Amino acid sequence: MNPKINFTPGPSQLYFTVKDHIRTAFREGVPSLSHRSKKFETYYQDTVEGLRELLQLPSGYHIYFTGSATEIWERLIQNLVAENSFHLVNGSFSKRFYEIAVQLGKKPIKNEVDNGHGFDASLSIPADIELIAVTHNETSTGVSLPLDFIYDLKVKNPNALLAVDAVSSLPYPDFDYTKLDSVFFSVQKGFGLPSGLGVWMANDKCLAKAENLLSKGISIGSYHTLPGLQSFAIKNQTPETPNVLSIYVLSKVIKDMIRRGISNIRKETEYKAALLYHTLQTHQVLKPFVVDPSFQSKTVIVANCGDQTERITKALLEKDMQPGDGYGPSKKTQLRFANFPTHSKEQFELLVDSLN
Amino acid sequence: MNPKINFTPGPSQLYFTVKDHIRTAFREGVPSLSHRSKKFETYYQDTVEGLRELLQLPSGYHIYFTGSATEIWERLIQNLVAENSFHLVNGSFSKRFYEIAVQLGKKPIKNEVDNGHGFDASLSIPADIELIAVTHNETSTGVSLPLDFIYDLKVKNPNALLAVDAVSSLPYPDFDYTKLDSVFFSVQKGFGLPSGLGVWMANDKCLAKAENLLSKGISIGSYHTLPGLQSFAIKNQTPETPNVLSIYVLSKVIKDMIRRGISNIRKETEYKAALLYHTLQTHQVLKPFVVDPSFQSKTVIVANCGDQTERITKALLEKDMQPGDGYGPSKKTQLRFANFPTHSKEQFELLVDSLN
């Protein structure tokens, strides 16, 4: 009925243990569990401690839950910006982050490059910028920014906070979180959960900034301010009734990933990416959309397919594989392939065999 | 392991068809379905059309999805208030709604009465109030406001918008929506779904007000403004990746409720409420917390249990029934019993037998 292997970049294929975890959740009464119960606090704590271990988060980092990563864009601007943020825009999602700052009445500045491209290392950022907003992995175009490039933004602009949208890259990137201030993702991509939960990691500097804005009489929102989230997080709770089931399943998937080993997940991600890029580079019809290898995403791989797009989609569907459409205007000429921890080496081998 | 019958007022017992719907959802690939797919649009449309039928929503009403009802408190203030809202406060949740307006930098006014009480019909509201915020059913105290009292607020204040928090009462109340402007709920109460979705109904006047604020240069938020939500709703889509699974399950539960008949659901709710209130009124130890029958909630029934609270909880748990704790400071002296469509007459009969 629906293809067995789902390569759409999000919502994507479920992590292969999710169905079992949801079955167990029903058995244990999780879907009707009170978010003020001890049991919920345990699941909350498991998720937070698991993420700390999986991603090697340093102390001084806090983890909060929201309804979506889109919500985190809004909360980041509300909580960390009085006047101006600086946005590196190279696709639809980094652009939307910028637009949210405009909608919230701030004065954001953007450095915009064409889709499919990264940024010049000489990029200059005004001295009074409060927040630098970077999209590590542009889901719309398959451009990933090198980690050193991102760290360098902080070195050159030590007074600004640095927020990294890692929606479609985590848990793959091996970030040095001491060089970043906030990183966030949503669960329906690399973690392979059903959609409906955003995960927001922020350090003490972010909390201090939000408190500073608040002390100046600037509204930083209501139930999802950083100080508000933190006041509940210390009790392993959320301000509102959250997506309890999703927090539970996330705690379990993180445990599964820790057991599997993050370095194995990273190595396999690189193997699968190399396999597909090699196929695209040597293919007669398909070509990688992102030409510069230093900007080629490992987790969302975009192929130019031209007028063969529909034919290739059909052929893959016949083999029970669902490719992702190109994003927006590229819908009819590109295909996107998610390369997430749930996608096995065998599935990628089958994909490249079918494409060849 | 966990009690079979869950009377906590939310998250509460699942609607009895939810587990099957989630099983079907997995079979149909719903948890990894793209929110930009035709299939998702169908589920969205089913939910909206089903709610229109179930609740007899008049034309000119629109339906939007958020992460929680807490989020809707914030969005209502952002979208409908330039300066001042008026809040009828009689418990923790109506108070929180008021506080959100304060946090957002508005100048809200409150009329506050003691917990367990309703409001005087002579209540007067200043002429320049933009939004009247009413909590139909105070989940913390079991006070429900009579519908005529709510409609009267609109008659006396025709220039203000009237928003009704029906979080823990819908689908029970038979609202005349032409006398209200916005009504909202969250799915983990009367609809019996896992938590993680808010449902916001708002009429054309709300949309016009939001657009008016926007035209005056007032920020009304970013991705979840009324005009923004509306621009996606007409395509049966959401601005962000929503809780797709929950929207799907809601569409199915609404269909189940339509099949069962809303008037049957209402009659059964009243029968079960009468049964429990009768028990409380004639009981030697337990007493209804809300004394005035015109304010006694049909859907969240609160009992004063004094120093017997712990003993009664234990006794009910032994019979596989989970009562809800009293809210906040009443945790040790009250119990709350949800009376939602999923709770059967037999379960309530068992409950009152056990209490007697």
Side-chain angles (χ1 to χ4, degrees), chain B residues 5 15 22 26 29 34 46 49 68 71 74-75 79 96 125 134 155 169 179 196-197 214 218 239 245-246 305 337 343:
Chain B
I5 312 171
Y15 197 69
I22 288 188
F26 270 84
S34 165
D46 283 353
E49 288 178 359
S68 63
E71 185 187 341
E74 182 181 85
R75 302 308 177 191
N79 280 271
R96 189 75 192 92
I125 295 176
V134 180
V155 173
S169 57
K179 294 173 176 169
L197 189 72
L214 200 56
I218 297 170
L245 182 59
S246 187
C305 311
F337 298 93
H343 296 108

Side-chain angles (χ1 to χ4, degrees), chain A residues 36 44 64 223 227-240, chain B residues 96:
Chain A
R36 301 289 178 234
Y44 186 112
Y64 311 112
Y223 71 110
L229 286 161
Q230 178 64 11
S231 70
F232 281 88
I234 54 173
K235 300 182 284 184
N236 290 308
Q237 289 188 7
T238 56
E240 83 295 6
Chain B
R96 189 75 192 92

Side-chain angles (χ1 to χ4, degrees), chain A residues 143-185:
Chain A
V143 171
S144 191
L145 302 182
L147 300 192
D148 282 337
F149 168 80
I150 295 175
Y151 302 150
D152 204 41
L153 293 169
K154 183 79 186 174
V155 173
K156 287 181 182 157
N157 306 275
N159 295 326
L161 293 168
L162 178 56
V164 178
D165 176 337
V167 161
S168 58
S169 57
L170 276 174
Y172 166 67
D174 188 9
F175 289 128
D176 180 348
Y177 289 87
T178 63
K179 295 174 175 168
L180 313 171
D181 297 298
S182 181
V183 181
F184 58 98
F185 65 91

Side-chain angles (χ1 to χ4, degrees), chain A residues 1-2 6 8 10-14 18-19 22-23 26-36 39 67-68 70-72 74-75 78 96 99-100 103-105 188-189 193-196 219-225 239-245 327 331, chain B residues 1-2 6 8 10-14 18-19 22-23 26-36 39 67-68 70-72 74-75 78 96 99-100 103-105 188-189 193-196 219-225 239-245 327 331:
Chain A
M1 217 169 141
N2 38 292
N6 189 348
T8 60
S12 190
Q13 184 162 328
L14 294 181
V18 162
K19 205 174 162 181
I22 289 188
R23 205 175 289 135
F26 270 84
R27 216 161 41 229
E28 293 185 355
V30 176
S32 47
L33 188 66
S34 165
H35 58 296
R36 301 289 178 234
K39 224 173 171 181
S68 63
T70 303
E71 185 187 342
I72 302 172
E74 184 181 86
R75 303 306 177 192
Q78 280 178 324
R96 188 77 193 88
E99 286 166 350
I100 279 181
Q103 286 185 291
L104 294 177
Q188 76 275 11
K189 313 233 178 213
L193 263 69
S195 57
S219 171
I220 57 173
S222 64
Y223 71 110
H224 270 178
T225 65
E240 83 295 6
T241 312
N243 190 334
V244 171
L245 182 59
Y327 192 84
K331 191 170 170 145
Chain B
M1 215 172 142
N2 40 291
N6 188 349
T8 59
S12 188
Q13 185 161 328
L14 293 181
V18 162
K19 204 173 161 181
I22 288 188
R23 206 176 288 135
F26 270 84
R27 217 161 39 230
E28 293 186 356
V30 175
S32 48
L33 189 66
S34 165
H35 58 297
R36 301 291 177 232
K39 225 172 170 182
S68 63
T70 304
E71 185 187 341
I72 301 172
E74 182 181 85
R75 302 308 177 191
Q78 279 179 325
R96 189 75 192 92
E99 287 166 349
I100 279 181
Q103 285 184 294
L104 293 176
Q188 76 276 12
K189 312 231 178 216
L193 264 68
S195 57
S219 172
I220 57 172
S222 64
Y223 71 109
H224 270 178
T225 65
E240 82 294 8
T241 311
N243 189 333
V244 171
L245 182 59
Y327 192 84
K331 191 168 171 147

Side-chain angles (χ1 to χ4, degrees), chain B residues 98-235:
Chain B
Y98 163 79
E99 287 166 349
I100 279 181
V102 175
Q103 285 184 294
L104 293 176
K106 311 294 179 182
K107 292 173 187 129
I109 299 168
K110 64 176 166 172
N111 181 299
E112 192 166 3
V113 298
D114 285 343
N115 281 2
H117 291 268
F119 299 89
D120 201 284
S122 65
L123 171 94
S124 103
I125 295 176
D128 63 342
I129 284 294
E130 296 162 90
L131 175 74
I132 303 170
V134 180
T135 303
H136 173 240
N137 199 68
E138 241 305 341
T139 319
S140 63
T141 61
V143 171
S144 190
L145 302 182
L147 299 192
D148 282 338
F149 168 79
I150 295 175
Y151 301 151
D152 205 41
L153 294 169
K154 183 76 185 175
V155 173
K156 287 181 183 157
N157 307 278
N159 296 326
L161 293 170
L162 178 56
V164 177
D165 176 336
V167 161
S168 58
S169 57
L170 276 175
Y172 166 68
D174 188 8
F175 288 129
D176 179 349
Y177 290 85
T178 63
K179 294 173 176 169
L180 314 171
D181 297 299
S182 181
V183 181
F184 58 97
F185 65 91
S186 49
V187 298
Q188 76 276 12
K189 312 231 178 216
F191 288 84
L193 264 68
S195 57
L197 189 72
V199 180
W200 184 11
M201 303 181 278
N203 68 12
D204 284 332
K205 282 185 202 159
C206 294
L207 260 173
K209 173 80 186 196
E211 269 156 8
N212 178 262
L213 295 187
L214 200 56
S215 73
K216 285 179 182 161
I218 297 170
S219 172
I220 57 172
S222 64
Y223 71 109
H224 270 178
T225 65
L226 278 174
L229 285 161
Q230 177 64 10
S231 70
F232 281 89
I234 53 173
K235 300 183 284 184

